[in-house]
Each structure stands twice: as C-alpha cells, then as structure tokens.
C-alpha cells in the first residue's frame, strides 16, 4: 500500500481506529512521550495511507498520564488549520494505547535542522522567514487564548520550507494560567517571573519572552542559550540585567527613523 507524503486537506480531528495506524519508525522519546512516524489509512476518503506522527503519552502513574493526555487533547482539539501550527488529525481514546495523531513534518525538528545547516549552509533570509513563521503561528495561538509555555526550537517542526509550532504537552487554554504544581520547566526559555516553584503566572507575554530565546536559537543555528553554568542561577542573572549575547556571525543593522 503506497504511503502518501504530500499535504492534503485533513478532515476535522476525530476518533481514529488503532487498527488503521501502522508504525513505520520511532522519531523521538522524551520525559512525557514517545513519538512515532506511522501510516494512517481510511482518512477522509483518501486512497492509500497518509504519513502521520503519533504521540504516546507515558508516565508511571496511569491517572497522571490520563490527566496529561486529556489536557493536550483539549488544547489540540481547539485548533483549526493554520499553516504555521502542526495540524491535529485525530486521537485514539476508545482503545489502548491512547494516541494523539498529528500531521507529519518531513524535515523534522527545527533544532536538528539548524544544527545540520552548519554543514550544509542556510541563507539569512531563510532564517528570518523561520522567525516570521513562528511569530504567525504564535499570533494564531494567542487569538485562541492558548498559552504554549514550552516554545523552543526543539518544539518547532519543519515541513518543506515552513516552520510549524508543535508539542502542546505544557500548553493551556486561557488568557492567564497559574502554575500550582511543581512541573519541570525549561528554565533557559522561561520568563524570569515564572522561574518560581509555584503560582507562576503564564500569559502571552511570557510566551513572547520564550519567542525571543527561540529567535536567538535560530540565528545561532541551534546553539544552546546561555552558559550551562547559569542553570542554578538564571533567575538572578536575568533580574540583574544579564541577557543573551549576540549570536556568532549575526549582524545588527540599525534603521534611522
């Protein structure tokens, strides 16, 4: 059965059959989930199978895993099509394992793409386009009252020459989200006012801070932001006026008003 990789109009996200999904390869594994490349058949009357990305949520406690799964499902289900946000295709909740199924991005993670471009080369115009792609996608999420909370190059996917925002495991619906738990946070991408153990208030402005760090990642071709020695004192460093240094090779142009 041929696998179709070219984009097509996905139907609205809906319950899928586990038997229609065939794993092709493992794409990655993190603290909260396993992501696979798979072939999905019987989607919207499309002949053949469609390449998709399938996310299995994994946590030690089943109850906690269900909470995480349901939160990401709720956020993803609220999304409509946007060219700079990964398309949510459907879910499996009536059978085990429970799955979230997304559009497959052929070029993979932006972070890996940027690091590879150090060898292959990439134009400054393309890097600027990537920053604009993410800005457009984040503007859409903000219009839907979605706070991403984990915006970084590792959570952006590249499809063709287009960047798409992905990974809504930390995302929340609402103009303001107050973190009451002791969730792990990506400290080098997090706004300083949120670098507290609990009751941190996340909103669009805190996503804007993360976007600034992401732009630095893009222009530095995937370098790690800040020094690793700052890990335990990044909040004090930022509150003291410390900031990211200019990426190597980047040029700053001042426009006259």
């Amino acid at each position: 059965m041929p696998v179709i990789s070219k984009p097509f109009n996905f139907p609205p996200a809906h319950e899928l059959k586990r038997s229609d999904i065939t794993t092709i390869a493992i794409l990655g594994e993190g603290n909260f989930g396993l992501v696979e490349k798979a072939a999905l058949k019987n989607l919207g009357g499309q002949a053949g199978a469609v390449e998709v990305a399938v996310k299995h949520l994994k946590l030690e406690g089943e109850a906690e895993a269900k909470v995480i799964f349901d939160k990401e499902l709720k956020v993803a289900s609220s999304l409509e099509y946007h060219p700079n946000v990964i398309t949510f295709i459907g879910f499996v909740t009536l059978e085990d394992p429970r799955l979230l199924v997304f559009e497959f991005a052929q070029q993979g993670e932006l972070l890996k793409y940027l690091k590879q471009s150090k060898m292959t080369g990439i134009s400054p115009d393309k890097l600027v386009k990537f920053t604009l792609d993410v800005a457009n996608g984040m503007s859409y999420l903000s219009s839907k009252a979605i706070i991403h909370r984990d915006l970084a190059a590792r959570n952006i996917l590249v499809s063709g020459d287009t960047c798409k925002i992905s990974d809504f495991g930390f995302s929340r619906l609402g103009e303001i989200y107050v973190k009451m738990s002791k969730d792990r946070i990506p400290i080098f991408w997090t706004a300083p006012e949120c670098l507290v153990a609990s009751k941190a208030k996340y909103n669009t402005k805190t996503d804007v801070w993360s976007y600034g760090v992401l732009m630095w990642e893009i222009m530095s071709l995937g370098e790690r932001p800040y020094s690793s020695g700052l890990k335990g004192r990044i909040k004090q460093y930022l509150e003291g006026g410390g900031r990211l240094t200019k990426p190597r090779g980047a040029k700053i142009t001042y426009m006259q008003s």
Side-chain angles (χ1 to χ4, degrees):
M1 179 172 58
V3 176
I4 301 165
S5 58
K6 65 180 181 180
F8 72 102
N9 292 326
F10 294 111
H14 58 286
E15 181 78 32
L16 303 169
K17 291 183 178 180
R18 180 68 183 82
S19 58
D20 286 340
I21 302 171
T22 302
T23 299
I24 298 175
I26 295 176
L27 297 176
E29 185 172 1
N31 292 327
F32 299 101
L34 174 71
V35 181
E36 299 174 340
K37 178 181 178 181
L40 172 63
K41 62 182 181 180
N42 298 325
L43 180 65
Q46 180 75 37
V50 179
E51 287 183 337
V52 295
V54 178
K55 184 172 184 179
H56 305 245
L57 291 185
K58 59 167 190 176
L59 283 175
E60 292 183 2
E62 291 186 6
E64 188 178 2
K66 184 177 184 300
V67 170
I68 296 292
F69 183 95
D70 289 344
K71 285 181 177 179
E72 185 163 2
L73 174 59
K74 183 177 180 180
V75 171
S77 297
S78 71
L79 298 172
E80 299 170 350
Y81 173 77
H82 189 282
N84 301 122
V85 177
I86 204 71
T87 301
F88 182 48
I89 296 174
F91 44 89
V92 175
T93 59
L94 302 180
E95 307 171 63
D96 289 328
R98 291 156 61 88
L99 308 173
L100 299 174
V101 181
F102 295 89
E103 166 193 6
F104 177 69
Q106 194 70 39
Q107 281 68 41
E109 292 180 7
L110 174 61
L111 182 59
K112 293 180 180 179
Y113 185 98
L114 291 169
K115 290 181 176 180
Q116 291 169 356
S117 69
K118 290 180 179 180
M119 300 294 295
T120 60
I122 188 170
S123 73
D125 287 347
K126 192 168 187 178
L127 295 177
V128 171
K129 179 187 180 299
F130 284 170
T131 67
L132 292 174
D133 283 349
V134 178
N136 288 333
M138 288 302 296
S139 177
Y140 168 73
L141 294 185
S142 179
S143 74
K144 302 288 287 185
I146 293 173
I147 307 167
H148 192 280
R149 296 180 66 227
D150 196 14
L151 188 62
R154 63 183 175 275
N155 291 329
I156 305 297
L157 297 175
V158 183
S159 180
D161 289 329
T162 300
C163 281
K164 295 173 179 276
I165 298 167
S166 71
D167 202 329
F168 302 103
F170 281 175
S171 301
R172 297 293 183 267
L173 288 167
E175 294 183 357
I176 297 177
Y177 170 73
V178 179
K179 180 175 74 71
M180 301 300 291
S181 64
K182 295 183 179 180
D183 294 341
R184 297 179 184 178
I185 57 175
I187 60 171
F188 289 152
W189 288 261
T190 299
E193 63 267 30
C194 296
L195 292 173
V196 293
S198 63
K199 297 185 179 180
K201 292 184 179 180
Y202 291 83
N203 52 36
T204 295
K205 291 181 180 180
T206 58
D207 273 348
V208 170
W209 178 281
S210 302
Y211 173 70
V213 180
L214 169 58
M215 286 197 295
W216 187 93
E217 288 186 277
I218 291 174
M219 293 305 173
S220 67
L221 300 183
E223 293 290 329
R224 184 183 181 88
Y226 304 104
S227 164
S228 59
L230 287 173
K231 187 172 183 180
R233 55 188 182 92
I234 185 66
K235 188 175 188 292
Q236 293 79 3
Y237 175 78
L238 294 172
E239 290 178 343
R243 293 294 183 267
L244 285 165
T245 57
K246 181 172 71 71
R248 287 177 291 179
K251 295 181 179 179
I252 299 176
T253 301
Y254 295 93
M255 298 181 64
Q256 296 181 347
S257 59

